[in-house]
């Protein structure tokens, strides 16, 4: 029996929806935990007399940790399970956030931010895999779109709450909120977050069948007398061999290049747009407004991707959104002398790039079997995070070298086009792979095309 295919073709059960909702809440808290330092930065700088250079390191510490966690922590999910890794990451984040609450100097705060970032980086990619595995074929794009929207929603709501807490209790109050929410979700996940059924089929130890049957019962299905046949893995048995082996090498390359080029443009826009527009308008408040509108557009784009992908292939939606995003970058840069138009285009800029992120989150996990899914996806996220650190720094050097902001936006439209091409080419690459699998008598994985 092809159990995975039967789940993918059936309507989603309340049990599956609950698993996705838990992941949504977790990514909302992650969105807050990642950006809480930016909310607290003015107060921290004032209290400790921190210079801009050190403050920049504090703001980047979480991103460094996230890159490390995505690359080195997420792959553990393919060995110890999605659920167990999520619990470990929540413990790491809880310790990091609690440490931030009691940090005694800038170096201790920096270390706590790196630690929290490691847990967040390890969990974000892992949660994406859980959402992908518990969504059926028809609702996969919608589930991933809503899940991806949780990150900017958490950051936006967290920003409002942090403003109140910092005003009333000082900057430590914002970290207390993040620590408390993380600890609460650690308890919730311990009791309610299920293990991946695909991981259990792959693992095949003494506990796999009882755990799988508990999941089957919660989904209203009859228990199994034995585990379904495990997927047949050709070639190298290691996870590294599967991710970079001949069977999926081209898909891995396309996903990595496509996501990295997208995330470079994404983080450039999210980090530099407020400052660039503030200088173009001569009004700092305009820059703040632009940042809020880009974030608002991100929420709309992530949810919009999910809605549209219910009746169109996610890969087509991804490609279209990225091509339109490249156009939006050009139009945005051309409207600096018309601030009202620039603000409107800023909404579309955030909307289309976030739709692209949702797209890659949707189409990438099914490329790999359950054996290597967390590793393959986590490494892609990690590579993107490294680029997310480099891109804003590179822009600083370009501006210092005399390049106009308009030209930089034009420049970053190019990687968006490249990302669109990579996303589109994933389809033919997957079809060629499945054709080879069919000739070899191997069952392909369930794909979102």
């Amino acid at each position: 029996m092809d159990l995975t295919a039967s789940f993918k073709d059936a309507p989603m059960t309340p049990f599956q929806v609950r698993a996705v909702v838990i992941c949504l809440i977790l990514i909302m808290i992650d969105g807050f935990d990642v950006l809480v330092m930016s909310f607290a930065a003015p107060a921290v700088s004032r209290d400790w007399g921190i210079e801009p250079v050190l403050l920049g390191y504090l703001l980047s510490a979480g991103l460094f940790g996230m890159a490390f966690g995505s690359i080195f922590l997420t792959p553990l999910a393919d060995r110890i399970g999605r659920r167990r890794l999520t619990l470990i990451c929540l413990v790491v984040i809880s310790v990091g956030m609690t440490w931030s609450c009691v940090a005694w100097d800038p170096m201790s705060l920096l270390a706590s931010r790196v630690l929290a970032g490691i847990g967040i980086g390890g969990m974000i990619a892992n949660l994406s895999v859980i959402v992908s595995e518990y969504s059926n074929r028809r609702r996969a794009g919608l589930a991933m779109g809503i899940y991806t929207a949780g990150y900017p929603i958490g950051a936006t709501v967290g920003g409002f709450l942090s403003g109140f807490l910092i005003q009333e209790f000082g900057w430590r109050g914002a970290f207390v909120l993040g620590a408390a929410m993380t600890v609460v979700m650690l308890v919730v996940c311990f009791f309610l977050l299920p293990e991946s059924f695909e991981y259990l089929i792959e693992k095949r130890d003494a506990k796999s069948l009882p755990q799988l049957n508990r999941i089957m019962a919660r989904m209203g299905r009859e228990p199994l007398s034995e585990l379904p046949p495990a997927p047949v893995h050709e070639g190298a048995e290691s996870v590294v061999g599967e991710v970079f082996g001949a069977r999926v090498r081209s898909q891995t390359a396309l996903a990595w290049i496509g996501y990295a080029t997208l995330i470079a443009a994404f983080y450039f826009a999210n980090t530099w747009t407020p400052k660039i527009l503030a200088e173009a308008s001569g009004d700092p408040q305009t820059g703040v407004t632009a940042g809020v509108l880009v974030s608002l557009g991100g929420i709309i784009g992530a949810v919009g991707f999910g809605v549209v992908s219910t009746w169109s292939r996610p890969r087509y939606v991804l490609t279209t959104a990225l091509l339109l995003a490249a156009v939006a970058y050009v139009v945005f840069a051309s409207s600096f002398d018309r601030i009202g138009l620039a603000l409107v285009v800023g909404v579309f800029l955030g909307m289309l790039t976030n739709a692209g992120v949702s797209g890659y989150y949707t189409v990438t996990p099914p490329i790999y079997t359950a054996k290597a899914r967390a590793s393959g996806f986590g490494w892609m996220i990690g590579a993107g995070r490294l680029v997310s650190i480099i891109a804003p720094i590179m822009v600083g050097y370009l501006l210092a070298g005399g390049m106009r902001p308009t030209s930089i936006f034009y420049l970053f439209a190019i990687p968006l086009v490249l990302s669109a091409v990579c996303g589109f080419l994933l389809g033919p690459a997957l079809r060629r792979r499945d054709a080879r699998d069919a000739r070899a008598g191997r069952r392909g994985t369930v794909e979102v095309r």
Side-chain angles (χ1 to χ4, degrees), residues 31-45 55-56 58-63 109 113 151 155-156 158-159 162-163 166 171 174-175 270-271 295:
F32 170 74
D33 287 351
V34 169
L35 295 179
V36 64
M37 187 62 230
S38 64
F39 305 142
V44 172
S45 179
L55 187 61
L58 284 172
L59 291 169
S60 298
L63 291 177
L109 183 57
R113 296 304 300 148
Y151 191 89
T156 303
S162 294
I166 292 171
W171 60 266
F175 289 101
N270 279 268
T271 55
S295 297

Side-chain angles (χ1 to χ4, degrees), residues 256-278:
W256 281 40
I257 295 171
Y259 182 75
T261 50
L262 163 61
I263 217 69
F266 175 87
Y267 272 97
F268 155 63
N270 279 268
T271 55
W272 280 99
T273 294
K275 180 174 177 57
I276 289 175
L277 208 57

Side-chain angles (χ1 to χ4, degrees), residues 82-171:
R82 322 285 191 237
R83 180 181 184 276
R84 185 174 298 176
L85 179 63
T86 299
L87 295 176
I88 291 173
C89 289
L90 284 169
V91 170
V92 173
I93 299 169
S94 298
V95 172
M97 293 298 293
T98 303
W99 186 1
S100 299
C101 297
V102 298
W104 53 90
D105 60 21
M107 288 299 101
S108 64
L109 183 57
L110 186 146
S112 71
R113 296 304 300 148
V114 172
L115 182 61
I118 290 173
I120 294 169
M123 191 167 70
I124 285 180
N126 186 49
L127 292 176
S128 303
V129 172
I130 295 175
V131 172
S132 174
E133 292 178 341
Y134 270 98
S135 303
N136 66 8
R137 196 189 313 272
R138 183 181 179 188
R139 302 297 182 188
L142 178 60
M144 192 60 72
I146 294 174
Y147 163 79
T148 308
Y151 191 89
I153 291 173
T156 303
V157 175
F160 285 115
L161 294 176
S162 294
F164 169 77
L165 291 172
I166 292 171
Q167 182 177 1
E168 294 294 324
F169 307 104
W171 60 266

Side-chain angles (χ1 to χ4, degrees), residues 352-370:
L352 294 166
T353 51
N354 271 272
V357 173
S358 298
Y360 274 103
Y361 278 20
T362 301
V363 303
T364 302
I367 290 174
Y368 308 103
T369 66

